[in-house]
Amino acid sequence: MQEKTELPLAIQPPAPRKSPKITLGRVLLATSAFALLAFTQGFAFVSPFIDLWQDAPAQCPQAETLTPIRNADVYTKLGEVLKKNETRARAIDWLGGAVRVPTEVYDGQDEIGVDPRWEVFQPFHDYLAEAYPLVHSNLKLTKVNTYGLVFEWTGSDPSLKPVLLAAHQDVVPVERRTVNEWTHPPFSGYYDGYKLWGRGSNDDKSGLIGIMSIVELLLEAHFAPTRTLVLAFGFDEESSGLEGAGKIFDHLYSVWGANSFALLVDEGGGYVEEYGTTFATPSVAEKGYMDTKVEVRTPGGHSSVPPEHTSIGVLASLLQRYEEEPFGVELTRDDTLYKTWQCYGQHGAQVSAPLRALIKASQKSNAALKGLEKILFQNKFYKSMIQTTQAITMINGGVKSNALPEEAYGIVNHRISTQSSTSQTMDFDTQRLAALAEEFNLTYTAFDKQVSSEGAPSSGSLTLSAAFTTPLEPAPVTPTTLDSAPWRVLSGTIKTTFNAQRGIEGADNIIVAPGMGTGNTDTRFYWDLTPHIFRYAHQNGGKDVSTGGGLDRGVHTVNEAIVIDYWMEQLRFFMTLILNADENEL
C-alpha cells in the first residue's frame, strides 16, 4: 500500500539565529507545539510510526573519548601549562599582536607584485617569525606565491599520512565609515578581561594563532612527532582563495600527491546547546557556488521615442521570474541536515516523545520523512541549507537618463545543494527564462549554448553566463560513520577536550553530529588531498552571559571579538588533536 504523505503541520520553528556563521539552531517552540498537537489528538497521527521507531537502527552512534596514551606525558604536562595564568597572558599577547597587524584583502586586487595591497602580509610574516621562534627554527617553511605559508613538522615515520591543519591570514576590510562604530578600534587587539577585540580576532586569526601557539608550546615541551604535521595558511580566503589556498594546493599536490593526507581541519563551526544537550557539529559538506550573469542587449536610441520595453525593463521581468520560480527542494536521507537531526532525535534531552518518534521513524517511512520535511522547511534557514538558493545581488544598466540603455545585466548568486550540481543549476536557469526570451523576441544563448532558433529575427539578445569565477561543484561529503578512523579521532578529541576543560568525565557530555556550514572555506581547493575534510573550530557558540543572548562575534561586521575562555579551549582542542592523530591509526 502506498504510504500517505500528508501529515498535519506540527510546529512553527523559531527564526534562525542572526549570525554570519550560523549553526543549526534549536527548535524548542517546535517541540512544545508538536507535543501539544500530539496530546490533543491522542497521538493518533504519530501512532503509525511507533513500530517503525522501535525497529529503526541507531541514528547517531557516538565515539568514545580519546585521550593520548603514548603521548600521555606531553598531554598531561601541556594540559597543566594551558591552565596557568601566565600561559593565558602569553596567548592573549600572541593573538592581540596578530590582530594589530592589518591584513585586509579586497575583491579584484591585481596580481602580486603589481598591486601594493598584497604587501600587508610581509609585516604579518615578520610578526609570526618574532612571536614563534621555535616554530620557525624547527619546522620547514615554504612560502607559496610569496605570501602563502606552509609549515612542515616532519615526523619520524614517513609511512604515515600527514595531518593538515589550515587557516587564513587575511581579514575582511573594515569599512572606513564604520570605524567610529567600533567599541574599540578595529585593529587594537584590545583585551577587556573577557573578550579580545579587533578584525580577525575571530575570523580567522584565532585559528591561525591557535595552531601556531600550540605548536610552539609542543616544541617547548620537547614533543617530537611520529606523524608529519603540515600547516597551510592562505591569504585571500575572504576574496576568492585563488592566489592563496589555490596555489598552496598546487604545492602540496606536487610534494605529496593525491589522497596523501590522513585528515584536514580548517575553520568552521563549534558546539552549542540544542534541546538541552550540547552538540558539536563539524561541517562535513559544503554547497557548490555559481554566479549567473543575466545580460540583455537591445538597440539604443533617444529616450523620447522608447520601445515598449527597454533592456532594463526586460531584465526586470527576467529577474522577477527568478524569484517567482525558485529551485525545488525536498529533504532526503542523504542530506547532512537530515543526519544532524537524527542526532538531535536520539540525543536531545528535551526532544518530545512524538518528535523523537517522527525523527527516528523517518529512517524507514517516507511519510514520516515528508512530515519531518514540513516541520523543518517552515524555518527558512533549514530550507536554505538543503535547497539550491538564489539571490539577486548586483544590477547594472544605462549610462544616461535620456539615452535608451543598450545593455543591462544582473548577477544571481547560487549556493548549490549538495544533492545537485552546477550542470543542473545551469539547466534550470536556462529553462525558466526560455518562455520570456521568446515573449520578448530575444536571441537566447545560455552558458555557451544556443537556445533560440538560429537566424530568426529578433529585437535583442539574452545571454546567461557564469560570472567572475568558474562554478564550484558541491564538495564531496566526508565519511562520518564509526568505521571511519578520522571521524572517530576527531569525535573522541572533541569529547576529551570538552571534558578536560571542565574537569568532567563521560562520553556523552557533548554529542558530535555531522554538520554543514552556509559558506565556503579554503578547503574547496583541497578535495584531492584527502576525503576526510572537517571545517571545525572548537568554540562555544552558545549563550554569552555578558549579553544574555547569542554570542555576538561581529564576524564580517563591526565589533568583531572573541571570548578568551572559549579560545583557550580551542587551543586545548588543537593540542589534543595533534597528539591523538600522532598515535592513532588514520
Side-chain angles (χ1 to χ4, degrees):
M1 180 182 296
Q2 186 175 5
E3 291 182 296
K4 183 180 179 181
T5 58
E6 291 298 321
L7 289 173
L9 290 180
I11 60 170
Q12 179 63 49
R17 290 189 182 88
K18 294 181 180 180
S19 170
K21 289 191 176 179
I22 190 168
T23 61
L24 298 180
R26 78 177 123 201
V27 192
L28 293 177
L29 291 180
T31 307
S32 58
F34 191 96
L36 177 61
L37 184 59
F39 177 78
T40 57
Q41 296 188 8
F43 289 86
F45 81 99
V46 294
S47 61
F49 304 131
I50 298 301
D51 291 341
L52 289 170
W53 177 85
Q54 293 172 342
D55 295 338
Q59 301 157 268
C60 184
Q62 293 291 295
E64 296 297 320
T65 57
L66 186 63
T67 303
I69 298 175
R70 192 179 71 227
N71 296 317
D73 289 345
V74 175
Y75 173 76
T76 301
K77 178 181 178 181
L78 193 50
E80 292 301 316
V81 168
L82 288 173
K83 295 178 182 178
K84 294 181 178 180
N85 289 334
E86 52 265 39
T87 305
R88 179 186 180 91
R90 195 178 177 195
I92 291 169
D93 285 343
W94 276 330
L95 182 56
V99 171
R100 284 188 282 273
V101 183
T103 51
E104 297 167 291
V105 164
Y106 300 82
D107 290 338
Q109 288 191 198
D110 207 340
E111 63 185 76
I112 294 172
V114 174
D115 195 324
R117 289 178 293 182
W118 295 112
E119 296 171 8
V120 297
F121 291 101
Q122 187 54 54
F124 186 65
H125 292 183
D126 295 341
Y127 169 76
L128 293 178
E130 180 181 356
Y132 301 106
L134 292 181
V135 172
H136 284 78
S137 61
N138 287 272
L139 275 64
K140 177 184 176 182
L141 170 60
T142 302
K143 291 197 174 185
V144 179
N145 198 20
T146 308
Y147 298 117
L149 299 177
V150 176
F151 292 91
E152 178 186 341
W153 197 359
T154 306
S156 59
D157 187 346
S159 69
L160 299 177
K161 288 185 176 182
V163 164
L164 180 59
L165 301 182
H168 61 87
Q169 308 168 56
D170 56 305
V171 300
V172 169
V174 174
E175 291 191 46
R176 301 312 169 206
R177 65 179 181 81
T178 67
V179 168
N180 293 332
E181 297 177 19
W182 287 70
T183 301
H184 303 285
F187 295 105
S188 66
Y190 178 76
Y191 176 56
D192 64 6
Y194 179 60
K195 293 181 179 180
L196 191 143
W197 299 76
R199 176 64 85 229
S201 59
N202 211 299
D203 183 15
D204 178 40
K205 286 180 178 175
S206 57
L208 188 153
I209 296 300
I211 294 169
M212 292 288 284
S213 298
I214 282 301
V215 172
E216 185 80 6
L217 292 172
L218 284 168
L219 286 164
E220 290 178 359
H222 306 293
F223 171 68
T226 302
R227 184 189 300 273
T228 294
L229 176 68
V230 177
L231 317 178
F233 303 142
F235 58 90
D236 63 340
E237 191 273 347
E238 299 292 3
S239 58
S240 66
L242 294 171
E243 299 300 321
K247 297 296 194 295
I248 288 175
F249 164 76
D250 293 338
H251 167 73
L252 296 176
Y253 193 89
S254 68
V255 174
W256 279 282
N259 193 22
S260 53
F261 287 83
L263 63 85
L264 187 163
V265 177
D266 195 7
E267 62 171 334
Y271 59 87
V272 67
E273 184 179 308
E274 309 283 5
Y275 287 110
T277 297
T278 301
F279 288 91
T281 52
S283 292
V284 297
E286 285 184 340
K287 281 187 163 187
Y289 183 101
M290 186 176 77
D291 291 309
T292 297
K293 184 178 183 180
V294 183
E295 184 176 18
V296 177
R297 290 180 176 270
T298 58
H302 199 285
S303 63
S304 63
V305 188
E308 185 177 359
H309 302 287
T310 70
S311 61
I312 293 176
V314 173
L315 177 65
S317 296
L318 297 171
L319 296 180
Q320 181 179 1
R321 179 61 55 87
Y322 263 92
E323 296 192 339
E324 290 174 344
E325 297 183 7
F327 288 82
V329 56
E330 65 176 338
L331 180 67
T332 73
R333 295 179 180 93
D334 292 329
D335 286 308
T336 301
L337 178 63
Y338 176 78
K339 296 174 183 177
T340 307
W341 271 80
Q342 287 296 313
C343 290
Y344 288 170
Q346 180 176 351
H347 298 287
Q350 296 174 0
V351 173
S352 68
L355 181 56
R356 196 183 306 276
L358 181 67
I359 294 171
K360 190 166 186 178
S362 69
Q363 295 179 87
K364 292 187 174 182
S365 165
N366 290 336
L369 180 66
K370 185 59 66 174
L372 182 60
E373 174 190 294
K374 288 184 176 181
I375 290 171
L376 296 187
F377 285 4
Q378 290 182 65
N379 185 307
K380 184 178 180 180
F381 172 68
Y382 295 142
K383 186 176 181 180
S384 69
M385 291 286 287
I386 295 198
Q387 186 178 32
T388 295
T389 59
Q390 56 193 32
I392 301 168
T393 55
M394 297 175 64
I395 192 165
N396 183 278
V399 295
K400 201 171 187 303
S401 62
N402 63 350
L404 296 177
E406 297 178 5
E407 174 187 351
Y409 71 84
I411 301 296
V412 183
N413 175 255
H414 293 301
R415 303 302 172 110
I416 302 171
S417 167
T418 58
Q419 305 303 309
S420 186
S421 65
T422 58
S423 63
Q424 290 177 348
T425 303
M426 291 179 185
D427 288 345
F428 189 71
D429 276 1
T430 301
Q431 63 87 16
R432 65 176 153 183
L433 298 185
L436 281 177
E438 183 176 354
E439 178 182 333
F440 288 114
N441 193 28
L442 301 175
T443 301
Y444 187 15
T445 304
F447 307 105
D448 298 322
K449 295 181 181 178
Q450 183 76 26
V451 180
S452 56
S453 300
E454 291 189 34
S458 69
S459 59
S461 67
L462 167 62
T463 304
L464 301 188
S465 60
F468 307 131
T469 60
T470 302
L472 177 70
E473 296 290 346
V477 179
T478 298
T480 56
T481 56
L482 288 185
D483 59 1
S484 171
W487 176 252
R488 286 200 314 274
V489 169
L490 180 73
S491 297
T493 295
I494 290 170
K495 290 173 179 283
T496 295
T497 302
F498 188 84
N499 287 352
Q501 191 73 11
R502 291 155 184 80
I504 56 178
E505 296 183 358
D508 295 328
N509 295 310
I510 184 170
I511 301 300
V512 184
M516 186 176 78
T518 56
N520 295 98
T521 67
D522 272 344
T523 60
R524 63 187 179 274
F525 295 101
Y526 298 147
W527 298 348
D528 289 343
L529 296 178
T530 176
H532 305 287
I533 297 177
F534 306 102
R535 301 96 176 161
Y536 182 72
H538 188 79
Q539 290 187 29
N540 188 342
K543 290 185 176 180
D544 180 349
V545 295
S546 71
T547 63
L551 178 61
D552 181 10
R553 299 169 185 262
V555 174
H556 289 204
T557 185
V558 300
N559 286 331
E560 183 173 349
I562 191 168
V563 177
I564 289 299
D565 282 349
Y566 299 165
W567 184 60
M568 293 301 296
E569 184 172 357
Q570 187 180 21
L571 266 64
R572 183 180 291 274
F573 165 76
F574 285 130
M575 180 264 289
T576 309
L577 177 65
I578 291 170
L579 295 178
N580 274 335
D582 188 71
E583 64 179 50
N584 281 276
E585 183 177 343
L586 293 173

